[in-house]
């Protein structure tokens, strides 16, 4: 009888420890995992002031590229450098100020759209600077129209 009581007590104890272990695993599984190693360092937008961040070309003629210059002013207390400018597709070329922009100075990003295909378009240009991990998105849009067909001269007979 004594061994039966000890066996029952051991069984209850073992079940208690197993249930506590399962409960601890469930509690651990519910905790959110936070990846601090890959988190951005500076989520504050860049301190530069853009004159505009979108431009509408309206109707443009097919085969004639169009450009627009986006201008910004460095309103921070540090020197800004544009580290990257990337268009959303190969139909848009970019050019930008590559020298450091001191506080109070202005700089620009130029977007040139190759109007090769008729129809509406909307493209983005992503600008990265050294003062923020938040990129600036510029946009251009418009409609490419086919050029008017030349009039056929009337023949007199």
């Amino acid at each position: 009888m004594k061994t039966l009581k000890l066996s029952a007590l051991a069984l209850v104890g073992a079940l208690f420890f197993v249930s506590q272990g399962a409960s601890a695993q469930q509690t651990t599984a519910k905790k959110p995992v936070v990846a601090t190693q890959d988190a951005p360092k500076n989520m504050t937008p860049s301190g530069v002031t853009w004159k505009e961040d979108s431009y509408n070309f309206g109707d443009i003629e097919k085969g004639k590229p169009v450009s627009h210059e986006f201008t910004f002013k460095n309103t921070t207390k540090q020197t800004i450098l544009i580290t990257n400018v990337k268009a959303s597709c190969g139909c848009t070329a970019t050019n930008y100020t590559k020298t450091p922009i001191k506080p109070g100075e202005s700089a620009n990003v130029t977007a040139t759209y190759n109007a090769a295909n008729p129809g509406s378009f909307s493209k983005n240009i992503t600008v990265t600077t050294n003062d923020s991990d938040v990129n600036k998105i510029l946009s251009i849009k418009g409609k490419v129209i086919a050029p008017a067909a030349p009039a056929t001269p009337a023949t007199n007979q």
Side-chain angles (χ1 to χ4, degrees), residues 2 21 24-25 43 45 104 118 121 123 133-136 144-145 150:
K2 188 175 185 180
Q25 285 177 345
M43 291 305 293
F121 67 90
K123 305 298 176 187
D133 290 331
V134 179
N135 297 331
K136 177 67 176 177
V144 178
I145 55 173

Side-chain angles (χ1 to χ4, degrees), residues 86-135:
K86 183 171 173 62
S88 60
C89 75
C91 58
T92 305
T94 61
N95 194 9
Y96 59 95
T97 303
K98 295 173 180 66
T99 57
I101 303 109
K102 294 180 181 173
E105 292 183 344
S106 293
N108 61 62
V109 173
T110 303
T112 302
Y113 180 72
N114 180 13
N117 297 315
S120 297
F121 67 90
S122 179
K123 305 298 176 187
N124 291 330
I125 299 94
T126 304
V127 181
T128 308
T129 60
N130 66 330
D131 74 323
S132 174
D133 290 331
V134 179
N135 297 331

Side-chain angles (χ1 to χ4, degrees), residues 4-5 12 14 17 20-21 23 34 48 54 77 92 122 126 135-136:
L4 183 61
K5 286 183 182 178
V12 169
F17 286 117
Q20 288 299 321
S23 174
V34 178
V48 300
S54 65
K77 295 180 181 179
T92 305
S122 179
T126 304
N135 297 331
K136 177 67 176 177

Side-chain angles (χ1 to χ4, degrees), residues 9-27:
L9 185 61
L11 182 61
V12 169
L15 288 173
F16 175 76
F17 286 117
V18 169
S19 68
Q20 288 299 321
S23 174
Q25 285 177 345
Q26 288 174 352
T27 304

